[in-house]
Amino acid sequence: VSDDDPGDAVEGDAARTHPAHWSLTIGFGAAVLVAMLCVAAGLASARVDVALLALPFLASAAWVWDRRARQDDGTRVEVLLARQEEEATIRYTVRVSPPRGTAVVQLRLAPLGQPPQELALSGHAAEVSGTVPMLHSGRLEIVSLQYRLIGADGSFVTVPAPPFRVENVVAPQVQQISSLPLPRQLPGVTGAHESARPGDGGDFRDIHPFTPGDRLRRIDWKRTARWAQSPGELYVRRTAALADASVLLVMDSRDDIGEFVGTWGKNPPAEQGTTSTDVAREAASSLAAAYIRSGDRVGFQDLGGDGRMLAPASGARQLSRLFSIITLSRPSEQAVVDRRRPPVVPPGVLIYLFSSFLDGEAARLATFWRAGGHRVIGVDVLPSPRFRSLTGDSQAAARIIAMEREDRLELLVASGVELLRWRDDAGSRAASLRALSRPAQGRPMQGRP
Amino acid sequence: VSTELAPRGRGLNPPNARFGPWVPALAIRAAFVLLSVDLSTTVFSYGLWITLGIMLTAIAVGAPKLLAPWVLIVFYGGSLLWRAPSATDWRFFVLLAGLHLMHVLGSQMLVLPWRSRVQLRVAGAVLLRFAIIQVPCQAVSWAALTLFAPRGLVSISVPVVGVLGIVGLVALVLVLVGPMVRRSTSGAAVR
């Protein structure tokens, strides 16, 4: 597949028809020239055997000329995809239906962004199939292909058809979460979490002097008898109001870093292993599902640069929208590297910032939001780095980058941003979430989804 | 967006595409080399010509776009000038088939990258076409050499050869013109 032109992208099954523009190759001209030379030499030297050497060349040229394909006859290419859930693979089938007169279909096939394979298929039944593993979530390039047609004996060829890619969308895994951290304030009027405000639905909050509007059945007669100083002085038992939380998931999809440090910068999908975007998608989807199920409002903001955002809302439809936007988020060439000001976030919202923190931009935004009074949890989505096939210099460079990142994270924590490392180990992840959900000074109680 | 679960990333390369039995395109080049070296030692007896043939073979395999395969064909064909024509000389018939096969292999080398995987059906079709062309060519060559070689039958068979030639020409015209007329008629009907 051409390096210069990656071609159009098609999602799911694809079918295209291209006209074939045939042209003669120099092989055909060479064969005719050899035949003429043989005839001329035979006549000049009066040698019948020399002239007879031209016979197979002339016959071959006549054959391929007589059976040449017609100009502009269409070639149909179909790419069919089938998911094999048990093996976690996608099976692709490429079927090329060339016009009559085609001897060979030369196919250049690159599954999963790998270096292309050159295939020469029979023009009568050109069908190729294969499987690619579902290595990553999000939009996955299954196969990219380009082809040209070749006539008999390579005498005619067509102009290569435009390349195109076939993609498929793979949803991230959703992990179960049992403990949910909450924002510092719960401004909502209904929900599943106890807020600091007095109201209905929650547990006991305090004893308070009766005020107009209090219900009579809330009067605590024992406390009134003990505390009342004057006639008519009453005390009521107040309970906490229930409220929903507002959560904003901010995904830093400006980069996509694999676990194999040697692939950084090249990002070959088949060799980079788990990537930071894979982890971020999994973490964001899991948290979104858990918060929405507990009745909270969840919004989404992508720092990737093309302005993808979703205002906080609740409900199944919002969850579906969140899954979709999270799954399709990926690094963009339009990403803003240095923002003048951070994106505006709703007041009282809990901010999750999913980032690899390999540069200072995400940390800067987190610190800014924290200074504005929001509770900010930075989710570290960088997979554990692996240093396979790295030179000494590269290893040293990778360690320096890792140390800078650790310093950045320490400064982040010192500024009040909480940190959650999203790792494969479900136990340590659950423990971290429990610790973040623990009531602390100025923080409401733990939420239960 | 589908809802299928994606496993966490694994370092796994996708396997090769499947399309039935195949041979590497390098086999075409290997066959060309074998054939050329064999022809070189068959038609030349002098070491310098053999060496030249092998050098041209190396160029032809390395850069077929320089048309070296066809230069090689002319080079080997020129060897006939040093030998008397005879219907009983097996070298001529070997050369007739070998040069044609070199043209077929050279054409494939020209259009197929050396890293290709070639479906076996492609090779089968190429060899079948080679055989279909080669069989009548060998027969006609044998007949022509039998008739026209210096010690052949030409002096007593000229009228017969003339009649046969006219019959052959008429047959050739019928074979070639018939399908062309039918094709143009059917094309006009479609329009």
Side-chain angles (χ1 to χ4, degrees), chain A residues 30-58, chain B residues 70-81 92 95-96 99-100:
Chain A
V32 173
L33 190 66
V34 165
M36 290 171 67
L37 271 176
C38 289
V39 171
L43 286 174
S45 60
R47 294 283 300 263
V48 68
D49 53 344
V50 176
L52 282 172
L53 282 183
L55 263 181
F57 295 96
L58 286 175
Chain B
W70 290 273
V71 173
L72 202 54
I73 287 170
V74 172
F75 178 65
Y76 288 152
S79 70
L80 282 181
L81 295 172
F92 169 78
L95 200 61
L96 188 72
L99 296 188
H100 182 206

Side-chain angles (χ1 to χ4, degrees), chain A residues 26-27 30-31 34 37 45 47-50 52-53 55-57 59-60 63 66 83 85 88 91-92 104 106 109 111-112 114 117-122 124-125 127-135 148 150 152-154 157 169-171 173 270-271 273-274 279 282 324 327 424, chain B residues 1-19 64-65 67 70 73-74 77 80-86 92 95-96 99-100 103-104 107-108 110-113 115-119 121-122 126 129 132-134 137 140-141 144-145 148-149 180 183:
Chain A
I26 52 172
V34 165
L37 271 176
S45 60
R47 294 283 300 263
V48 68
D49 53 344
V50 176
L52 282 172
L53 282 183
L55 263 181
F57 295 96
S60 172
W63 176 299
D66 182 57
R83 285 174 183 261
E85 303 299 338
R91 180 184 170 82
Y92 64 87
V104 180
Q106 186 187 352
L109 195 75
L112 212 60
Q114 288 290 92
Q117 305 170 16
E118 300 274 358
L119 311 177
L121 311 173
S122 167
H124 299 292
E127 184 171 309
V128 176
S129 63
T131 53
V132 295
M134 287 193 280
L135 295 178
R148 73 170 179 172
I150 299 172
D153 282 349
V157 293
V169 176
V170 179
Q173 284 187 328
E271 295 166 20
T274 304
V279 179
E282 180 186 302
S324 174
T327 304
D424 285 336
Chain B
V1 176
S2 56
T3 54
E4 286 81 358
L5 304 182
R8 294 287 288 273
R10 294 168 294 173
L12 188 64
N13 290 332
N16 281 337
R18 291 188 294 272
F19 55 98
K65 287 186 179 170
L67 297 182
W70 290 273
I73 287 170
V74 172
L80 282 181
L81 295 172
W82 279 267
R83 194 176 296 121
S86 167
F92 169 78
L95 200 61
L96 188 72
L99 296 188
H100 182 206
H103 162 65
V104 168
S107 301
Q108 300 299 324
L110 202 63
V111 292
L112 295 179
R115 276 178 290 190
S116 298
R117 290 187 287 151
V118 183
Q119 200 175 19
R121 291 184 63 169
V122 173
V126 167
R129 194 161 46 245
I132 289 172
I133 292 174
Q134 197 54 222
C137 285
V140 169
S141 300
L145 281 176
F148 298 113
M180 287 184 189
R183 195 181 300 171

Side-chain angles (χ1 to χ4, degrees), chain A residues 205-390:
Chain A
R205 182 175 183 273
D206 60 359
I207 303 290
H208 193 268
F210 183 89
T211 55
D214 283 340
R215 295 184 179 181
L216 294 178
R217 64 184 173 86
R218 284 196 180 276
I219 297 173
D220 188 339
W221 293 110
K222 287 183 182 172
R223 197 69 64 178
T224 300
R226 198 175 302 160
W227 285 1
Q229 302 291 322
S230 58
E233 188 178 348
L234 298 171
Y235 287 89
V236 293
R237 292 172 63 85
R238 295 198 304 184
T239 54
L242 292 181
D244 54 353
S246 276
V247 178
L248 185 65
L249 309 175
V250 181
M251 190 181 285
D252 179 11
S253 64
R254 294 172 304 138
D255 54 13
D256 190 13
I257 304 294
E259 60 185 319
F260 294 103
V261 180
T263 65
W264 290 8
K266 291 174 284 188
N267 295 340
E271 295 166 20
Q272 60 186 151
T274 304
T275 69
S276 58
T277 310
D278 287 336
V279 179
R281 286 195 197 106
E282 180 186 302
S285 300
S286 306
L287 287 167
Y291 277 109
I292 290 283
R293 279 189 204 115
S294 68
D296 296 321
R297 290 178 295 133
V298 182
F300 181 82
Q301 171 91 44
D302 192 350
L303 298 180
D306 54 358
R308 283 169 293 193
M309 65 167 298
L310 209 56
S314 57
R317 188 171 292 181
Q318 174 76 355
L319 182 59
S320 171
R321 281 194 290 258
L322 282 166
F323 277 158
S324 174
I325 199 167
I326 290 169
T327 304
L328 295 177
S329 62
R330 60 176 172 179
S332 164
E333 292 177 358
Q334 303 161 352
V336 180
V337 176
D338 188 17
R339 291 172 183 271
R340 284 185 176 277
R341 61 187 64 164
V344 176
V345 298
V349 78
L350 166 62
I351 300 173
Y352 280 97
L353 177 57
F354 305 89
S355 175
S356 61
F357 296 104
L358 280 172
D359 66 0
E361 178 67 6
R364 189 177 71 85
L365 297 182
T367 312
F368 191 93
W369 283 321
R370 180 68 194 92
H374 296 283
R375 184 179 184 197
V376 182
I377 298 177
V379 184
D380 177 14
V381 294
L382 186 71
S384 301
R386 298 193 191 181
F387 299 99
R388 191 180 65 183
S389 64
L390 268 190

Side-chain angles (χ1 to χ4, degrees), chain A residues 399-419:
Chain A
R399 286 203 184 95
I400 290 169
I401 291 173
M403 285 189 288
E404 285 178 350
R405 197 180 84 94
E406 288 303 321
D407 289 346
R408 196 173 293 122
L409 292 177
E410 282 178 17
L411 283 174
L412 207 59
V413 172
S415 67
V417 175
E418 293 154 283
L419 200 61

